Amino acid sequence: MLISNRIRAKFSAVFRRADWRVALAASAALAASVSASQAQVDLKTYADEKGYLNVKALTCAQLTNTTQDDANFLGVWYSGWFNGHMKRHAINVNRTKAGIHEVIEYCKANPDKTVVDAVETYVKKVQAGQ
């Protein structure tokens, strides 16, 4: 009986420590997600009083400060805008998704640039075959 109580006590101590670690990790993850979600704003925040967004003036900082859905939406819009200028009427979905991701990553590293600059940098990279 004494041995089983000691074993039970050791297991309880191990599980309490494990529970503490799990709780600490979960709290840290929650705090990070809350702070990240608080930093994000709706895209309409950057629109004028009539609801229009000046896409040429939008900065990378603004793009990375918006929600992921809004950033993806803008990425598809910019893709269509650039393809329209080049008289292209088709979309490569996988390349567009990869391009949006690259533009967002570029914007994270260069918040002072405009999104147009970021897209142009990506387009030049693709045209150069990189």
Side-chain angles (χ1 to χ4, degrees):
M1 205 61 158
L2 186 60
I3 293 175
S4 67
N5 286 341
R6 284 184 188 167
I7 292 171
R8 190 175 314 133
K10 283 185 179 182
F11 277 124
S12 293
V14 167
F15 285 122
R16 274 194 300 261
R17 264 185 266 139
D19 288 344
W20 175 252
R21 289 181 190 140
V22 169
L24 184 60
S27 297
L30 180 61
S33 68
V34 167
S35 65
S37 66
Q38 288 175 342
Q40 295 177 337
V41 297
D42 286 334
L43 191 56
K44 63 184 176 185
T45 303
Y46 304 120
D48 66 15
E49 64 279 349
K50 294 181 180 178
Y52 291 100
L53 186 66
N54 183 348
V55 293
K56 284 188 171 183
L58 192 71
T59 67
C60 279
Q62 291 171 316
L63 176 70
T64 58
N65 194 39
T66 192
T67 65
Q68 187 65 50
D69 283 345
D70 282 347
N72 290 339
F73 168 79
L74 267 178
V76 172
W77 189 91
Y78 278 107
S79 173
W81 187 47
F82 270 83
N83 280 316
H85 283 291
M86 293 186 275
K87 305 292 185 215
R88 293 185 184 156
H89 306 306
I91 185 171
N92 181 319
V93 175
N94 289 333
R95 186 169 54 202
T96 301
K97 286 180 179 181
I100 291 168
H101 176 73
E102 282 196 42
V103 167
I104 291 170
E105 291 301 314
Y106 176 91
C107 280
K108 287 178 182 177
N110 301 281
D112 56 323
K113 301 283 187 181
T114 65
V115 179
V116 171
D117 291 336
V119 173
E120 286 176 350
T121 299
Y122 174 73
V123 168
K124 287 176 186 175
K125 179 182 170 185
V126 169
Q127 289 173 340
Q130 297 175 345

